[in-house]
Amino acid sequence: MSDSLGKHDPALTVRRILKVNHAGEFGAIRIYGAQIWMARRLFPDIVPALQEMREDEIDHCRLFRDAMLSRNARPCRVMAFWSLGGLLLGFLTALGGRNMVWICTEAVESTVHRHLEDQLAFLQTKDPELHRLIASIQEQELAHLHEAEKNQTTRGLGHMLLLPIIGFLTDLMIWLSTWGDSSWMRAEMARSRQS
């Protein structure tokens, strides 16, 4: 919450970071789960890569859940939306073909990377332990992004249309999950970089 001067409580922001990151990893598990289910039937050659990325997301989800306990953070109130949205996004992109699967991964991971950059800047002095955890997770998320970019066979109309749509939906879920605090953090980080 804000005090009368408009300053945010850093502990509240830390809890919101954990909530949204935990929920986002849960959504990613659902996306990959749906894509794997479809890929086994349509293009089994990409299943091992998807399974490896899903295992990373499961590990990240556990790490964020563990970090939540010592900071009195609770799971996100909109977890059901992350779950349902992840399943739908996974199924729909897999139905669109292997290229759509990689476009989805690129869109989600590039959006997540931007938010993690904001979080890392915020956490550097406020929660160094969480900063280290997120920095290590960010390396794996960037590896997923590079894998998705490498595996795309074309960057045509589907890429041009889907990338911003999936990115917008990811941003929207992040915003909803933090009650708008993600916008405040981004503005705060921009101000701190200018000074």
Side-chain angles (χ1 to χ4, degrees):
M1 304 279 169
S2 301
D3 64 19
S4 59
L5 298 174
K7 298 199 184 262
H8 281 56
D9 174 10
L12 175 62
T13 302
V14 166
R15 288 193 297 272
R16 286 181 172 166
I17 286 170
L18 284 166
K19 281 181 183 187
V20 72
N21 289 3
H22 175 255
E25 298 295 350
F26 185 73
I29 292 166
R30 297 298 207 181
I31 291 170
Y32 286 125
Q35 289 174 338
I36 290 166
W37 192 86
M38 293 295 290
R40 281 193 180 116
R41 289 145 184 83
L42 302 174
F43 23 86
D45 57 300
I46 71 168
V47 169
L50 294 175
Q51 286 176 323
E52 187 177 324
M53 290 189 284
R54 184 174 185 268
E55 287 303 316
D56 288 344
E57 306 298 1
I58 290 169
D59 188 46
H60 301 166
C61 192
R62 180 190 54 77
L63 289 168
F64 283 129
R65 182 69 180 130
D66 291 348
M68 291 170 80
L69 296 173
S70 62
R71 291 166 181 86
N72 296 319
R74 283 177 256 161
C76 182
R77 292 181 188 178
V78 294
M79 286 289 277
F81 290 122
W82 282 99
S83 180
L84 181 60
L87 284 172
L88 285 172
L89 188 58
F91 279 122
L92 292 174
T93 54
L95 280 173
R98 66 170 45 87
N99 215 45
M100 291 268 199
V101 166
W102 298 123
I103 291 169
C104 175
T105 300
E106 179 187 356
V108 170
E109 295 294 6
S110 58
T111 304
V112 165
H113 176 66
R114 185 170 29 83
H115 284 278
L116 291 181
E117 283 293 305
D118 292 341
Q119 292 174 7
L120 287 170
F122 176 82
L123 292 167
Q124 193 162 10
T125 57
K126 295 181 178 59
D127 192 329
E129 181 185 349
L130 186 56
H131 180 275
R132 283 189 297 276
L133 174 65
I134 290 175
S136 70
I137 286 171
Q138 184 184 38
E139 287 180 32
Q140 289 181 317
E141 301 293 8
L142 280 173
H144 298 175
L145 173 60
H146 297 317
E147 179 78 9
E149 291 170 336
K150 177 186 82 175
N151 288 319
Q152 288 177 51
T153 54
T154 60
R155 288 189 168 253
L157 186 61
H159 185 272
M160 195 170 64
L161 293 175
L162 271 182
L163 206 66
I165 291 170
I166 295 171
F168 169 78
L169 291 173
T170 305
D171 270 328
L172 179 63
M173 286 302 300
I174 290 168
W175 190 88
L176 286 172
S177 299
T178 61
W179 299 93
D181 208 28
S182 57
S183 300
W184 170 82
M185 274 194 319
R186 186 170 298 120
E188 192 67 23
M189 293 308 99
R191 281 193 296 275
S192 70
R193 287 183 192 117
Q194 292 170 354
S195 43

